[in-house]
């Protein structure tokens, strides 16, 4: 079983989408996908209603996901930890215990060099168009990620 963790700040907008999109592209018996936030603001919460709506419009149900905070043991549980922006990276790396932990952490957009963005923009204070843009970016990069994970070219 290969395990993948998607991480953003609040675990209600971006990482739940990344979690749901990637999970939908991978065989469930071979991959475990989860998500977490570096902050504790939304522990126990459902994803943002706008993320739920965008995902639903593409046939992906993320409504059952539950917000949780990233924890040090996630470095042991997961093979790959994908962050959405530089701030997430700094927050996760600050908890790393050794170089093995650090090596597991990557910016999700590094997986697809055809994507021009450097990070997944935080849509929390934005509008539905911002959520659409986040979905499109994540959909594209998760396609690449799914192919690479299944061929173990990471
Ligand atoms: P996310 O977005 O990191 O993509 O889940 C945010 C959600 C909540 C907050 C910030 C960003 N917040 O400040 O509560």
């Amino acid at each position: 079983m290969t395990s993948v963790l998607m991480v953003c700040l609040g675990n209600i907008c971006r990482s739940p989408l990344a979690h749901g999109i990637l999970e939908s592209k991978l065989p469930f018996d071979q991959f475990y996908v989860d998500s977490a936030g570096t902050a504790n603001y939304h522990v126990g919460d459902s994803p943002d209603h706008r993320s739920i709506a965008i995902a639903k419009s593409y046939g992906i149900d993320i409504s059952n996901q539950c917000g949780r905070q990233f924890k040090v043991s996630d470095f042991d549980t997961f093979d790959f930890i994908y962050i959405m922006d530089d701030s997430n990276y700094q927050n996760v790396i600050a908890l790393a215990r050794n170089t093995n932990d650090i090596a597991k952490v990557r910016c999700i957009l590094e997986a697809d060099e055809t994507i021009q963005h450097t990070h997944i923009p935080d849509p929390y204070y934005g509008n539905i168009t911002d959520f659409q843009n986040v979905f499109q970016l994540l959909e594209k990069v998760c396609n690449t990620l799914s192919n690479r994970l299944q061929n173990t070219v990471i």
Side-chain angles (χ1 to χ4, degrees):
M1 186 72 94
T2 302
S3 53
V4 180
L5 183 67
M6 301 296 192
V7 178
C8 63
L9 174 62
N11 191 210
I12 55 165
C13 298
R14 293 166 292 176
S15 60
L17 279 173
H19 170 176
I21 293 167
L22 185 66
E23 193 172 57
S24 75
K25 296 178 186 295
L26 290 170
F28 71 91
D29 57 335
Q30 291 168 45
F31 291 90
Y32 172 62
V33 184
D34 194 14
S35 60
T38 57
N40 64 359
Y41 316 140
H42 297 284
V43 171
D45 290 358
S46 297
D48 187 284
H49 65 95
R50 296 162 296 182
S51 285
I52 292 176
I54 290 290
K56 191 175 174 200
S57 74
Y58 288 92
I60 299 170
D61 182 7
I62 63 166
S63 64
N64 288 330
Q65 291 185 27
C66 179
R68 74 165 179 91
Q69 189 172 23
F70 180 85
K71 51 184 188 285
V72 173
S73 62
D74 287 325
F75 287 117
D76 302 320
T77 307
F78 292 92
D79 301 305
F80 301 102
I81 298 169
Y82 289 108
I83 54 82
M84 304 293 133
D85 65 30
D86 284 349
S87 164
N88 308 150
Y89 184 83
Q90 296 304 333
N91 290 331
V92 169
I93 289 297
L95 297 174
R97 300 156 299 183
N98 51 49
T99 51
N100 266 359
D101 289 353
I102 292 171
K104 291 185 175 186
V105 188
R106 296 164 190 208
C107 176
I108 191 169
L109 289 180
E110 282 173 18
D112 188 334
E113 64 279 1
T114 70
I115 297 177
Q116 298 303 315
H117 293 66
T118 56
H119 64 282
I120 305 288
D122 185 349
Y124 184 59
Y125 293 106
N127 56 34
I128 199 71
T129 306
D130 299 305
F131 279 79
Q132 277 280 5
N133 290 339
V134 165
F135 188 95
Q136 301 299 349
L137 279 171
L138 290 173
E139 164 65 21
K140 188 168 190 322
V141 76
C142 284
N143 255 333
T144 307
L145 219 45
S146 162
N147 290 333
R148 289 196 181 188
L149 284 164
Q150 290 182 80
N151 294 302
T152 52
V153 185
I154 277 288

